Amino acid sequence: MNTLAEENYLKCIYHLAIDAGVVSTNQIAASLNTRASSVTDMLKKLADKALINYTRYQGVSLTDAGEKIAIGIIRKHRLWEYFLVEKLNFKWDQVHEMAEEMEHISSEELIDRLDEFMGHPKHDPHGDPIPDCNGNFKSVELKPVSALAINQCGVISGVRDHSSPFLQYLEKQQLTIGKKVTITDIIEYDHSVALKTETDKEIYISREVANNLLISL
Amino acid sequence: MNTLAEENYLKCIYHLAIDAGVVSTNQIAASLNTRASSVTDMLKKLADKALINYTRYQGVSLTDAGEKIAIGIIRKHRLWEYFLVEKLNFKWDQVHEMAEEMEHISSEELIDRLDEFMGHPKHDPHGDPIPDCNGNFKSVELKPVSALAINQCGVISGVRDHSSPFLQYLEKQQLTIGKKVTITDIIEYDHSVALKTETDKEIYISREVANNLLISL
DNA sequence: TTCATATTTTAGATAAGTCTAAATTTTTTA
DNA sequence: TAAAAAATTTAGACTTATCTAAAATATGAA
C-alpha cells in the first residue's frame, strides 16, 4: 500500500497531466501547496516505486501502475461525493473536503459495494465521470460556455472550478448539472455571455464563469 | 485537530480504562502493538494537550476533554460498522478493519447525517452501544455466559472478543446478537457450557467462548 | 526492609515528509 | 549565443512517531 502523501501526489499528477501530458515540479508544488524541493523528494520516491516516469529537470508522467492507482483514488473520491449528496443530502459545494479524506479508505471491496449500493452511478455531483471497478470511464467531450456561439444550445454537464463559492453561485443562478441552456448573446467588450434557460429566464454570466461552466452539445 | 496516532491512543486508553480505571504504559503498549518507550513519548504529548492525566510511573486516565474525543471516535467507529453491515451487506466479522480507518474521517456533520440516514441505531453489529451526538449512551449490564447458572436464560447482546475467527464461529453456531438462550448444563471438569436455543437446539461451547459471549438477563 | 525483578522512562537513532537556503540546470532574452 | 532569469535539485535541518539499549523507579518476596 501507498502512504497518504504518495496517493495525493499521484492524484495530483494525474489531474495535471490531463491537459499537459508531462507535468512540472512547480506545477505539482503549486497544486499541492508545498515547495518544489519537497516535490522533488517525493518524485524520487515515486520513481523508485515505478509509479512515475521521472528524469531530473524533465518533468514527470504516470506509469501504467501509477495511473491505475490514481484512477482508483478518483473513483473513490467521486463515489463518496455521490454518496454524500444523494444519500446524506449534502449540497454539491459541501462534499469536496470530506471526499478528500474518504478517498483514502483502502478497502476495494468497500468501494465496490458502495458503488453497487448506489446503483453504479456514472457521474459525480459535479458531472465528472466515475470510473468503474476496472478503472474504465468514457469522458464526453465538454466545451466551456465561452467556446460556444450565439444560438448554440446544450446541457450543463460539468465544471472546471470545483470551489464552494463558484458552485454556490451556480446553484443560486440555477445553473446546475442537467439544465439545458441556449446562448442568446455574447458581449464583445468583456466576453460576458447571456444565457436562456428552459424556463426562458435570461441569465448574464461573466467571461470567468463562462470559462468554468461546461456544456455537452 | 489531533493526529491519527493521538486518536488511536485516546481510544485505546478509553477501552482499557473501562475495566481498570487507571491504565499502565505496558497495557497500552500491548494493546497497540508498540513499545513501552513509544507509549511514554506519546503520553507526554497527550498530557501537554490536557487530554490525559499523567504522572510518571503512575499510569494514566483520560481527562474530560480526552474522554470526549475518545467517545467521538468510538461513535464514528460503531456507526460506520452499522453502515457497512446494514447498508453494504458485510458480515459482522468483516467490518472492524474498515471501521478502524473510517473512524478518523473528521467531519462531525457527516457522522451526524450518517446517524440520521440510518435511523439513529442504538447498537453496532456486535451489540456495543452507539453514543449519540452528545456522547451519551447507556451501557446495559451484560454478563458473560460463564457467569450464569444452570437454567438461567437471556439474550445474546454482545461479545468481548471482536476478532473474525470468534465472530465467524458464533455465526456458524447461530449464536448471534438477539438470540435467546438457556443454560442447560455446566461441565465442572473444563467449565464448558451447554446452551439451548429458541429452536431447542443444544450447543456446547468452551469456557473460553463462554467468557467472551455476553448475555442480557 | 532489602534486594531481585518488573515496569517505566530517558537517551539517542531512524524513516517519512516537510522546510529554507544554496547550487545546478534549463530556458529565455537581448 | 552568452548572460540573466526561471525552474529544479541538493544539502542540511526539523517534526512526528517510532525503535533499541540503558538508566531510573516501583513492586514484591524472602
Side-chain angles (χ1 to χ4, degrees):
Chain A
M1 248 303 94
N2 305 291
T3 66
L4 196 141
E6 286 166 356
E7 291 195 349
N8 284 334
Y9 272 86
L10 292 174
K11 183 174 56 130
C12 172
I13 294 166
Y14 180 87
H15 284 307
L16 292 173
I18 286 170
D19 318 302
V22 163
V23 179
S24 75
T25 300
N26 268 0
Q27 277 179 292
I28 298 169
S31 174
L32 292 178
N33 261 297
T34 185
R35 300 299 175 157
S37 56
S38 309
V39 174
T40 301
D41 288 345
M42 183 57 91
L43 295 184
K44 287 179 192 163
K45 199 175 11 151
L46 294 174
D48 285 346
K49 287 187 158 196
L51 300 175
I52 60 173
N53 305 114
Y54 172 55
T55 33
R56 283 174 23 176
Y57 295 103
Q58 301 308 139
V60 295
S61 62
L62 294 177
T63 62
D64 286 352
E67 184 174 278
K68 198 177 159 193
I69 293 169
I71 290 174
I73 298 163
I74 289 162
R75 167 171 158 81
K76 288 178 188 172
H77 183 103
R78 293 178 181 169
L79 282 169
W80 282 119
E81 283 200 343
Y82 188 92
F83 172 77
L84 292 170
V85 168
E86 295 299 323
K87 300 293 181 182
L88 301 192
N89 299 118
F90 281 100
K91 302 274 185 169
W92 71 341
D93 61 284
Q94 299 179 300
V95 296
H96 184 75
E97 292 305 311
M98 286 180 264
E100 287 285 296
E101 290 182 61
M102 302 175 94
E103 71 191 8
H104 301 290
I105 304 296
S106 59
S107 170
E108 291 298 319
E109 185 168 6
L110 165 50
I111 208 68
D112 291 345
R113 289 206 189 195
L114 182 70
D115 188 21
E116 193 186 341
F117 174 62
M118 302 189 298
H120 304 287
K122 293 282 167 290
H123 297 275
D124 78 9
H126 311 109
D128 295 308
I130 300 175
D132 70 18
C133 60
N134 300 309
N136 299 317
F137 63 99
K138 51 174 179 296
S139 56
V140 183
E141 183 66 48
L142 300 182
K143 284 197 164 145
V145 170
S146 56
L148 303 186
I150 290 177
N151 285 327
Q152 273 194 291
C153 70
V155 177
I156 297 176
S157 301
V159 291
R160 271 187 180 156
D161 177 1
H162 290 69
S163 73
S164 294
F166 182 61
L167 297 175
Q168 281 167 15
Y169 167 81
L170 291 181
E171 177 101 37
K172 211 169 80 186
Q173 301 291 330
Q174 298 186 46
L175 297 171
T176 49
I177 304 291
K179 286 273 166 69
K180 195 178 157 190
V181 294
T182 307
I183 312 297
T184 54
D185 197 10
I186 299 171
I187 315 301
E188 288 288 319
Y189 173 64
D190 62 358
H191 297 84
S192 65
V193 176
L195 300 170
K196 206 175 64 185
T197 64
E198 276 173 288
T199 58
D200 274 345
K201 205 179 130 191
E202 197 148 57
I203 300 167
Y204 284 86
I205 61 175
S206 70
R207 173 192 217 164
E208 197 177 347
V209 171
N211 263 324
N212 288 319
L213 188 58
L214 301 173
I215 301 292
S216 68
L217 296 173
Chain B
M1 248 306 94
N2 305 292
T3 66
L4 196 143
E6 285 166 356
E7 290 194 349
N8 284 334
Y9 272 86
L10 292 174
K11 185 175 56 131
C12 171
I13 294 165
Y14 180 87
H15 284 307
L16 292 173
I18 286 169
D19 317 301
V22 163
V23 179
S24 76
T25 301
N26 267 1
Q27 277 180 291
I28 298 168
S31 174
L32 292 178
N33 260 296
T34 186
R35 299 299 174 157
S37 58
S38 309
V39 174
T40 300
D41 287 345
M42 183 57 91
L43 295 183
K44 287 178 191 164
K45 197 173 13 150
L46 294 173
D48 285 347
K49 288 187 157 196
L51 299 176
I52 60 172
N53 306 114
Y54 171 55
T55 32
R56 285 174 23 181
Y57 294 102
Q58 302 308 140
V60 294
S61 61
L62 294 176
T63 62
D64 286 353
E67 184 174 278
K68 198 177 158 194
I69 293 168
I71 290 174
I73 298 162
I74 289 162
R75 167 171 158 79
K76 288 178 188 171
H77 183 102
R78 293 179 181 170
L79 280 169
W80 281 120
E81 283 200 343
Y82 187 92
F83 172 77
L84 293 170
V85 168
E86 295 300 322
K87 300 292 180 181
L88 301 193
N89 299 117
F90 282 99
K91 301 273 185 168
W92 72 338
D93 61 285
Q94 299 179 299
V95 296
H96 183 76
E97 291 306 311
M98 288 180 261
E100 287 284 297
E101 290 183 60
M102 303 176 93
E103 72 191 6
H104 300 290
I105 304 294
S106 58
S107 170
E108 290 297 319
E109 186 169 7
L110 164 52
I111 209 68
D112 290 346
R113 289 204 190 195
L114 182 71
D115 189 22
E116 194 186 340
F117 174 63
M118 301 189 298
H120 304 287
K122 294 281 166 292
H123 297 274
D124 78 9
H126 311 109
D128 295 309
I130 300 175
D132 69 18
C133 60
N134 300 309
N136 299 318
F137 63 98
K138 50 172 179 297
S139 55
V140 183
E141 183 66 49
L142 300 182
K143 283 197 165 146
V145 170
S146 55
L148 304 186
I150 290 178
N151 285 326
Q152 273 194 294
C153 71
V155 176
I156 296 176
S157 302
V159 290
R160 271 187 181 156
D161 178 0
H162 291 68
S163 73
S164 294
F166 183 60
L167 297 175
Q168 281 167 16
Y169 167 80
L170 291 181
E171 178 101 37
K172 210 170 77 183
Q173 301 292 330
Q174 298 187 47
L175 297 172
T176 49
I177 304 292
K179 287 274 166 68
K180 196 178 159 190
V181 293
T182 307
I183 311 297
T184 55
D185 198 10
I186 298 171
I187 315 302
E188 287 289 318
Y189 172 65
D190 62 358
H191 298 85
S192 64
V193 176
L195 300 170
K196 207 176 60 186
T197 65
E198 277 173 286
T199 57
D200 274 344
K201 203 179 131 191
E202 197 147 56
I203 300 166
Y204 284 86
I205 62 176
S206 70
R207 175 193 216 164
E208 198 176 347
V209 170
N211 262 325
N212 287 319
L213 188 58
L214 301 173
I215 301 292
S216 67
L217 296 173

